[in-house]
Amino acid sequence: MINKLVDKIVKTNAPVVVGLDPMMKYIPEHVQKEAFEQYGETLEGAAEAIWQYNKAIIDNIYDIVPAVKPQIAMYEQFGIEGLKVFKKTVDYCHEKDMVVIGDVKRGDIGSTSEAYAVAHLGKVKVGSKLLTPFDEDFATVNPYLGSDGINPFIKVCNEEDKGIFILVKTSNPSSGEFQDQLIDGKPLYEHVGAKVNEWGRQCMGDTYSNVGAVVGATYPEMGKVLRKVMPKAYILVPGYGAQGGKAEDLTAFFNPDGLGAIVNSSRGIIAAYAKDEYAKFGAKNFGEASRQAALDMIADINGALGK
């Protein structure tokens, strides 16, 4: 799957992924109104509003952006109806030939980890049939429980040609409370990065591994170190834009050929219509605003990379 992701990044010249993280406060009033008229102010109504919102954004970005990253919590908050829309969104993105990174941050051991891996990346046996549950292309995974939590995902990745992005250095302000602690003279995130490199050898694509890493844009100096620690890992970089990460901070995450990393933006793209610079589109044309914001992000990052 990493081969497909790299190919799409090259073809679109867009090392970016759009986080489909819908919140009701982001969804324009006219979209909510239409959904509530059909289903009432219910979980079903909220789910319909999210679906129409996602669909319009996908329709406007699928040809310029290689991948999307739906954060499952934004769907789980609406219960079963929200999870149905999560699956509907994954399927629709696949129809548009987009790569889907399920931001699920799973992390457990044994049969539980196996079940998570099957649910999001694999197939589950039902009677005589093997059925596909959520069917993302990649999933984010928390490594805190060690290899017992990662190996079941690697097994499924090898079986299904799927991938994972392992949390190494996250973009949130308090990440250093644990991740920066020194062990044998090195911060914990470097030790995790070394394990990502080790795990990645078990799950290689042509040039990069199907085992990637999550490293926040807000820590570019650490990204520079981790790029060397994990030479075959593709790096998923959150924190651009709304969280303070700037394009010029991102060059350390990439290799000299401009590959090796993919940068995420969520509300900066999906809620672009609410920003002053895209106000001209208006709420009615929120999808077009998202497209322009994505184009601007691509240009910003490529400019910093000298492309």
Side-chain angles (χ1 to χ4, degrees), residues 211-237:
V211 177
V214 178
V215 183
T218 45
Y219 300 105
E221 288 304 314
M222 299 173 187
K224 185 176 182 179
V225 171
L226 288 166
R227 176 71 282 167
K228 295 176 181 177
V229 172
M230 308 176 296
K232 297 297 184 180
Y234 230 81
I235 299 178
L236 171 61
V237 188

Side-chain angles (χ1 to χ4, degrees), residues 105-110 112-113 116 141-152 166 192 195 199:
K105 294 186 178 71
R106 297 304 192 235
D108 215 303
I109 59 171
T112 307
S113 187
Y116 279 141
V141 183
N142 191 321
Y144 193 74
L145 280 73
S147 296
D148 292 335
I150 300 299
N151 287 336
I166 297 173
V192 177
K195 286 298 291 185
W199 288 321

Side-chain angles (χ1 to χ4, degrees), residues 146-188:
S147 296
D148 292 335
I150 300 299
N151 287 336
F153 279 90
I154 292 176
K155 179 176 182 291
V156 171
C157 287
N158 281 325
E159 292 170 351
E160 304 291 338
D161 187 24
K162 297 291 184 78
I164 54 176
F165 286 99
I166 297 173
L167 305 182
V168 176
K169 177 58 183 173
T170 56
S171 58
N172 57 300
S174 66
S175 65
E177 291 176 1
F178 295 131
Q179 295 167 21
D180 295 358
Q181 292 297 308
L182 295 180
I183 301 172
D184 296 332
K186 292 182 179 180
L188 178 58

Side-chain angles (χ1 to χ4, degrees), residues 113-125:
S113 187
E114 290 172 12
Y116 279 141
V118 164
H120 291 283
L121 300 176
K123 294 182 176 68
V124 65
K125 186 171 175 56

